[in-house]
Amino acid sequence: QVQLVESGGGLVQPGGSLRLSCLASGFIFRSYYMSWYRQAPGKERELVAGITSIGITKNYADSVKGRFTISRDNAKNTVYLQMNSLKPEDTAVYLCNVQLMRDMVPYDYWGQGTQVTVSS
């Protein structure tokens, strides 16, 4: 079955850095677009960054451009999110996502999330 397992979250001071990882299994990782989302308390889930199957194209939310970098290692079935210059407003649960076809219908798979807290 499809599994996405995030790690790397934690408490960091404003201006600090964290690197999130998402280990994927149960599908052909190298063939699929992968994304990171985040959800803060009381807010809608928002797309943070996405990366194409072989990492040629990367997309970012305006709020993280220039600070976050998405990357992937297809040999390790892992997608990463390097987060620099963190701000308190980056505090959220960060979730890994892949969209696959299930019974001919697109279906979103999610990890359990990893908490990122930016606070002094």
Side-chain angles (χ1 to χ4, degrees):
Q1 71 278 21
V2 174
Q3 282 195 309
L4 301 170
V5 181
E6 301 96 335
S7 61
L11 173 64
V12 63
Q13 292 188 340
S17 297
L18 282 174
R19 187 196 197 205
L20 306 183
S21 300
C22 171
L23 177 62
S25 60
F27 64 101
I28 303 173
F29 179 79
R30 65 181 181 273
S31 297
Y32 289 93
Y33 189 94
M34 296 296 298
S35 303
W36 283 98
Y37 283 73
R38 66 186 180 188
Q39 187 160 23
K43 293 191 176 182
E44 299 267 327
R45 188 171 293 184
E46 64 168 337
L47 177 64
V48 175
I51 185 168
T52 51
S53 58
I54 57 172
I56 297 294
T57 302
K58 304 174 184 182
N59 302 292
Y60 298 95
D62 287 343
S63 58
V64 307
K65 277 180 184 174
R67 300 189 298 122
F68 290 11
T69 302
I70 190 170
S71 62
R72 66 191 295 161
D73 185 336
N74 285 347
K76 296 182 178 179
N77 281 12
T78 301
V79 60
Y80 304 98
L81 187 67
Q82 177 67 43
M83 305 186 296
N84 298 329
S85 302
L86 282 161
K87 305 175 181 180
E89 52 264 43
D90 295 318
T91 295
V93 174
Y94 283 71
L95 303 112
C96 187
N97 167 269
V98 65
Q99 189 175 84
L100 306 175
M101 297 301 289
R102 192 170 80 172
D103 297 329
M104 301 180 66
V105 175
Y107 185 84
D108 283 302
Y109 291 87
W110 301 94
Q112 82 289 348
T114 186
Q115 176 70 47
V116 171
T117 302
V118 185
S119 175
S120 54

